[in-house]
Amino acid sequence: MPVVTMIMPAFNSETTIQSSIDSVVNQSFRDLELIIVDDGSTDRTKEIINQNLQQDPRIKFIQVHQAGPGGAKNVGIDHAQGQYIGFIDSDDLLDVDFITAGVERLQAGADCVIYDYIRFNQQEEIHNTVGDTPFTAFPATWNKLYRSELWTGIRFPEEILIEDFEVVPVVVSQASKIDHIHDSFYRYRLSNNSITTSYDYKRIEELEIALKTLVQNARTLGNFEILSGKLPVFANNMMYAHIREAILSAPNHKAKRKVYRQMRVFYRQFNVEQFNIRTTIYSPNRLKQIRNNLMVICCDLGWYTLGVKVTFMIEQVFGKRRRPRRN
């Protein structure tokens, strides 16, 4: 049995998947398996995976069809044999000692290891420092290694594209001990074509499902004593990020009005029903609440682009500080 299982969902990734595979199989830690789950690619992705199968017996290849990112990850978890589980997207990279550093912490008693990460493209690298609690560790699967038992009874929603933030904090909340690595990174590729840099009306419906699933999972599957106090803040942070992204992505004034109105109605209803909060987008931080209120006021008046610009101005003036990259 391998010590570590890395799970890689893939879909039409012919230009990047080879470098992603290489970054896993060339890890300094060798006792691993890589499970690649292809979700019906129509380009050369499957051909590239099959070529790698012939070269490295640690690679396993599973094909599914229209399962979505969450469904592909679920299949990988179901087939994982490792004591520890990690995830990598098919356009991203791992530092060469990523797994070695994580396994050392896990074998020393951690249940979950969290990594800082680097966003990159051909022009730049941006170092992102995360926290070490369920809601501050960044709500993605990929900047973590998990003891496999943490995934018992927990799976991702299928056939929607927003699948991480309603599951990952719940999984992390079950860890008795969390460790944090600052000097070996997950490398997240910035791409104009990625799921997380585009927006459409279907994603608004998916966001509603994801937020409701987050609350349900927190109450039934996670450590609710740990999660409950920060749950309204985390949910509203997700709401803020998505409404701003939706407005920016909408192609014209009419589209911006449609996405804003639909999201605003749901946000108010969700906050009242789940948290008894009568605010469209809530924050306990006074400055952030002012920022949120100004955006909502501007958008209520039909000044959608201005509302988003106001949030950027406030963040620039009062500081979103990034930790300097460590050499």
Side-chain angles (χ1 to χ4, degrees), residues 7 9 29 46 76 84-85 106 112 120 128 134 142 145 158 160 166-167 173 188 217 232 264 271 283 306 312 320 327:
I7 298 169
F29 188 89
K46 287 184 278 192
Y84 312 121
I85 293 177
L106 290 163
C112 179
F120 76 98
N128 295 261
W142 38 253
L145 273 181
E158 300 190 6
I160 66 173
E166 63 269 47
V167 173
S173 77
Y188 174 85
N217 284 347
R264 188 186 191 285
N271 272 331
S283 175
L306 176 62
F312 282 120
K320 266 194 163 184
N327 296 319

Side-chain angles (χ1 to χ4, degrees), residues 112-117 128-144 146 168-169 172-173 178-180 234 238:
C112 179
V113 177
I114 296 163
Y115 299 76
D116 293 344
Y117 68 100
N128 295 261
T129 301
V130 302
D132 53 9
T133 68
F135 285 137
T136 63
F138 193 72
T141 52
W142 38 253
N143 69 323
K144 302 168 185 73
Y146 313 81
V168 174
V172 176
S173 77
I178 297 171
D179 213 330
H180 193 164
F234 178 78
M238 293 296 102

Side-chain angles (χ1 to χ4, degrees), residues 1-218:
M1 296 290 187
V3 174
V4 174
T5 297
M6 294 300 298
I7 298 169
M8 180 186 294
F11 177 73
N12 286 355
S13 308
E14 63 180 2
T15 61
T16 59
I17 193 169
Q18 185 60 60
S19 61
S20 298
I21 292 173
D22 289 344
S23 81
V24 177
V25 300
N26 293 329
Q27 286 285 300
S28 59
F29 188 89
R30 308 300 296 171
D31 191 0
L32 61 86
E33 66 175 351
L34 171 61
I35 299 178
I36 306 175
V37 184
D38 182 84
D39 191 19
S41 291
T42 56
D43 62 1
R44 292 184 58 251
T45 297
K46 287 184 278 192
E47 177 185 340
I48 295 168
I49 297 170
N50 279 316
Q51 290 170 356
N52 283 272
L53 282 176
Q54 309 305 315
Q55 300 170 11
D56 196 320
R58 297 176 299 169
I59 299 175
K60 311 293 190 299
F61 181 26
I62 302 172
Q63 299 185 59
V64 295
H65 183 64
Q66 293 185 348
K73 290 174 186 175
N74 289 341
V75 170
I77 295 170
D78 290 341
H79 287 80
Q81 295 183 311
Q83 295 173 246
Y84 312 121
I85 293 177
F87 299 83
I88 177 173
D89 287 348
S90 59
D91 52 357
D92 295 343
L93 305 172
L94 304 179
D95 279 359
V96 68
D97 292 323
F98 182 92
I99 295 178
T100 295
V103 169
E104 288 176 354
R105 308 293 181 92
L106 290 163
Q107 290 180 338
D111 298 307
C112 179
V113 177
I114 296 163
Y115 299 76
D116 293 344
Y117 68 100
I118 290 174
R119 294 186 296 162
F120 76 98
N121 56 24
Q122 293 180 344
Q123 289 76 41
E124 64 178 346
E125 289 188 351
I126 304 169
H127 180 193
N128 295 261
T129 301
V130 302
D132 53 9
T133 68
F135 285 137
T136 63
F138 193 72
T141 52
W142 38 253
N143 69 323
K144 302 168 185 73
L145 273 181
Y146 313 81
R147 198 172 294 277
S148 61
E149 290 84 356
L150 295 183
W151 289 94
T152 302
I154 300 179
R155 291 296 184 268
F156 295 94
E158 300 190 6
E159 299 180 356
I160 66 173
L161 300 181
I162 304 173
E163 83 285 357
D164 273 2
F165 81 66
E166 63 269 47
V167 173
V168 174
V170 177
V171 174
V172 176
S173 77
Q174 298 187 99
S176 297
K177 181 181 178 182
I178 297 171
D179 213 330
H180 193 164
I181 293 175
H182 298 285
D183 56 2
S184 186
F185 304 112
Y186 186 96
R187 295 178 177 267
Y188 174 85
R189 190 187 304 269
L190 295 168
S191 170
N192 291 331
N193 298 322
S194 72
I195 289 171
T196 51
T197 54
S198 59
Y199 215 99
D200 58 31
Y201 298 125
K202 182 180 178 182
R203 289 197 73 197
I204 300 175
E205 298 174 2
E206 293 184 353
L207 175 64
E208 295 178 8
I209 295 171
L211 286 165
K212 292 176 181 177
T213 303
L214 166 67
V215 175
Q216 180 181 357
N217 284 347

